[in-house]
Amino acid sequence: MSEEIKRRIMAANRAYFENIKLLKSKLLSKTTKMKLYRTLIRPVVCYGAETWTLSKADSNRFKIFERKIIRKIYGVVNEEGRWRIWSNNEIEWILENKNIVKFIKSGTIRWLGHVERIYEEKIPKRVMLARMEGTRRQGRPRSK
């Protein structure tokens, strides 16, 4: 799963760099840039995310990626003549606590509801309800 997540983040980075002129533009407002992010970049990184199981490391990768883009959109902050970047807490406030990990998890729950409603004969439903047969061998494997 981690390899697929890395590929998705790389693809989203390509989408990000294809649209970097728009995200840096002084002519567009920050709300417009956020809409661009949500419609052009986030779907690339979240493609197929309904079936992922996220580890803590994967969640952190997504959050780092998203914070990088938000920092590019919002630029730097000038506080009393000193320039600084946005902190992670400020970015969470900007996102209104709706970060990419929560977006992915809500998609997983939405997919689960869809699978629950489909017919018993459909493959996703059969896979979800399947039970493994047999037992695993106990103990560690022997070294040769």
Side-chain angles (χ1 to χ4, degrees):
M1 200 55 52
S2 291
E3 288 302 315
E4 174 62 20
I5 289 170
K6 286 178 187 175
R7 279 195 292 275
R8 291 278 93 215
I9 289 175
M10 285 186 345
N13 263 324
R14 285 192 297 273
Y16 163 69
F17 282 108
E18 287 172 4
N19 295 298
I20 199 157
K21 284 186 180 180
L22 291 172
L23 298 176
K24 281 180 157 184
S25 173
K26 302 283 184 192
L27 301 174
L28 298 175
S29 70
K30 290 175 184 167
T31 55
T32 304
K33 291 176 186 180
M34 287 300 292
K35 286 179 184 177
L36 286 172
Y37 161 68
R38 287 191 177 109
T39 57
L40 297 175
I41 299 169
R42 189 189 260 183
V44 172
V45 78
C46 294
Y47 179 76
E50 293 85 6
T51 59
W52 294 345
T53 9
L54 293 179
S55 67
K56 191 77 169 170
D58 295 332
S59 297
N60 285 337
R61 276 192 198 104
F62 282 124
K63 288 179 182 179
I64 289 167
F65 171 76
E66 185 172 53
R67 287 190 298 245
K68 174 183 82 169
I69 292 175
I70 302 305
R71 284 186 177 111
K72 184 61 73 176
I73 290 171
Y74 277 78
V76 292
V77 181
N78 186 359
E79 278 185 347
E80 301 167 3
R82 294 187 62 227
W83 294 95
R84 66 171 182 83
I85 62 171
W86 293 85
S87 70
N88 293 347
N89 290 333
E90 290 170 327
I91 290 176
E92 279 297 317
W93 180 79
I94 289 169
L95 293 171
E96 298 169 351
N97 227 5
K98 297 176 186 173
N99 63 28
I100 194 167
V101 174
K102 290 183 180 179
F103 179 77
I104 290 171
K105 288 182 179 181
S106 69
T108 304
I109 293 170
R110 189 172 50 249
W111 171 251
L112 177 65
H114 171 70
V115 172
E116 278 292 320
R117 289 187 300 272
I118 63 176
Y119 298 113
E120 298 287 328
E121 299 85 35
K122 298 281 185 168
I123 292 174
K125 182 78 167 214
R126 291 190 353 219
V127 168
M128 187 179 83
L129 297 175
R131 298 283 177 236
M132 297 298 289
E133 293 183 11
T135 58
R136 252 177 31 176
R137 201 175 72 198
Q138 287 186 334
R140 294 192 307 195
R142 294 184 207 186
S143 60
K144 295 182 181 183

